[in-house]
Amino acid sequence: MAGFCTYLFFSSLIEICNDMYEVREEICKGAVIGAGGVVTLMFTPALLASFGFTSGGIAAGSIAAKIMSWLGIVYPGSVFAFLQSLGATGLTWLTGGYVASFGGVMGWMLSAICNQSRNNTTST
């Protein structure tokens, strides 16, 4: 009888450990998604400035100026016009939400890719 009780005790511990691992995995996924949103939100203004989208307009000789000369006409509502307005005005709460959501989606995709590659290596 003692052996059976020990077996039940250890099997329940194994099940608890497996449940804790799944919870830790979900916490890790949430942290990666949140970090993606925060990092994207923090570095977007610096990235825009490095491409040449500044508060004074498009910087001469920058990547943005080269893209603008290649496009010829910048249409209102285009991605280029959106980036130009972000560089000029900065991030509002609404555009900050969009940018953070985009970063969160990228974090989720990274988490899913890493999880898939981990599953492929453990199954072989």
Side-chain angles (χ1 to χ4, degrees):
M1 186 68 171
F4 182 70
C5 289
T6 306
Y7 168 76
L8 285 178
F9 175 73
F10 282 116
S11 66
S12 65
L13 280 181
I14 289 170
E15 192 167 315
I16 289 170
C17 284
N18 286 338
D19 289 344
M20 285 175 57
Y21 175 75
E22 289 175 11
V23 167
R24 277 186 288 166
E25 188 176 349
E26 293 302 316
I27 289 172
C28 262
K29 285 181 186 178
V32 169
I33 291 169
V38 168
V39 167
T40 306
L41 187 62
M42 285 176 29
F43 288 115
T44 296
L47 188 64
L48 285 171
S50 70
F51 282 134
F53 297 102
T54 64
S55 59
I58 303 294
S62 66
I63 294 171
K66 290 178 178 143
I67 292 172
M68 190 172 179
S69 70
W70 178 74
L71 288 173
I73 299 172
V74 176
Y75 293 102
S78 66
V79 174
F80 191 87
F82 176 70
L83 292 174
Q84 190 174 2
S85 79
L86 281 182
T89 61
L91 295 175
T92 63
W93 66 271
L94 183 62
T95 56
Y98 288 141
V99 167
S101 297
F102 176 76
V105 168
M106 292 298 116
W108 172 77
M109 287 174 56
L110 177 66
S111 167
I113 289 168
C114 290
N115 189 34
Q116 186 65 31
S117 63
R118 186 180 62 84
N119 287 342
N120 288 342
T121 59
T122 57
S123 66
T124 55

